[in-house]
Amino acid sequence: GGDNVGNYPTSPEDHIKMMEELRALLENSEVPVIFVQGNHDDNSIHGRIPGTNTCRIGFEVKDDIQYYTLFSIAEKCPAFHFAGNKALYGYFDAEKANTRVVFLNSSDVPYIVRDGIMKYNQQWDFGYSEKQLSWLCHTALANAPENVIFIEHMPFDHIRHNYSGENIYNDDAVDAITTAFSCAEKLHIESQHEDFGYNISVDFQGETHNIPARISAHCHIDTQTIDPAGFLS
């Protein structure tokens, strides 16, 4: 569910070591082990500028290192399909259950540095890139079985952890895609945001699908709601 290791001690080297230790505990498991990325997994919190939600560089553990160190353990599972190019999202097919589980990365923000400060950090900035949204439409949901379950770190209902200063980019796009998919509709959506822009057209007509739940973590509480998009969260 994300936040796979703690943030202490502070150094990225020790953070990576914790990831290595976790992998060693799980890599010989007899059942599939699949991770999603949480907002504490890149260690950027230790670059925080006091009194702000911005972070200096030098403490972050980048996505490709996280992939090689921990997330790539899922490569051992033939039913899991990574999105490719060390992306921290993919899908798992449980064929006997006629179900696909889609694992999203809600911390999919661009790495942009200005004057030694990250424009977006994975500790307080969340979102979905055009690449992930396109993969969701044209790969993860293409030829999907009857049931599709979504799993990610940030809550899909956008309510239970609505702290000020936390931004979620393109969450409305995920809702629109999920709704069109479940209702077997055509969809065209676009955004002109300078860093999170997208232009996506997809045709889900022909077969409706059941979405039993959209499952998330992050809040450190157990609860069940119907989210604003109408899905069990």
Side-chain angles (χ1 to χ4, degrees):
D3 290 354
N4 299 296
V5 297
N7 279 126
Y8 305 94
T10 61
S11 78
E13 292 78 15
D14 287 333
H15 188 87
I16 293 169
K17 183 178 179 181
M18 286 190 289
M19 286 186 168
E20 293 171 342
E21 292 172 348
L22 178 58
R23 180 181 182 127
L25 290 170
L26 297 173
E27 61 185 350
N28 294 319
S29 172
E30 295 181 0
V31 299
V33 177
I34 301 165
F35 293 94
V36 298
Q37 189 175 49
N39 61 308
H40 287 278
D41 285 322
D42 82 328
N43 204 50
S44 60
I45 188 173
H46 294 298
R48 183 181 191 179
I49 298 174
T52 75
N53 282 351
T54 59
C55 298
R56 303 183 307 273
I57 61 172
F59 295 89
E60 72 279 7
V61 176
K62 296 180 182 178
D63 285 0
D64 58 342
I65 297 175
Q66 292 185 52
Y67 178 87
Y68 283 124
T69 308
L70 188 60
F71 287 75
S72 62
I73 191 174
E75 291 177 354
K76 296 185 176 184
C77 174
F80 185 74
H81 305 271
F82 273 110
N85 194 30
K86 298 182 288 298
L88 303 184
Y89 48 92
Y91 68 86
F92 174 89
D93 280 333
E95 294 184 3
K96 291 183 179 180
N98 200 24
T99 298
R100 176 168 294 175
V101 184
V102 178
F103 295 83
L104 297 178
N105 178 9
S106 53
S107 295
D108 187 17
V109 298
Y111 186 74
I112 301 172
V113 176
R114 296 177 177 173
D115 298 323
I117 297 173
M118 289 181 283
K119 185 177 182 180
Y120 304 99
N121 63 79
Q122 293 178 349
Q123 180 63 42
W124 289 287
D125 296 310
F126 314 104
Y128 313 85
S129 65
E130 180 180 32
K131 182 177 181 180
Q132 184 173 184
L133 295 174
S134 181
W135 167 86
L136 175 62
C137 288
H138 301 296
T139 301
L141 299 180
N143 301 312
E146 177 184 2
N147 306 299
V148 177
I149 295 171
F150 293 82
I151 296 179
E152 69 173 23
H153 185 66
M154 289 300 293
F156 287 93
D157 62 18
H158 322 311
I159 295 174
R160 288 175 286 147
H161 203 77
N162 188 23
Y163 290 168
S164 62
E166 290 187 339
N167 302 303
I168 306 177
Y169 298 93
N170 294 342
D171 54 331
D172 54 341
V174 172
D175 286 347
I177 292 167
T178 309
T179 299
F181 173 72
S182 66
C183 297
E185 299 173 342
K186 281 186 176 181
L187 178 70
H188 176 77
I189 52 176
E190 58 183 283
S191 166
Q192 302 303 316
H193 190 283
E194 62 177 341
D195 299 319
F196 289 91
Y198 58 80
N199 189 327
I200 294 175
S201 294
V202 62
D203 186 354
F204 292 125
Q205 293 182 112
E207 182 181 0
T208 59
H209 290 82
N210 178 42
I211 300 178
R214 302 199 298 180
I215 303 170
S216 62
H218 190 58
C219 299
H220 301 253
I221 58 172
D222 292 327
T223 188
Q224 178 175 297
T225 63
I226 301 299
D227 64 33
F231 300 100
L232 178 64
S233 180

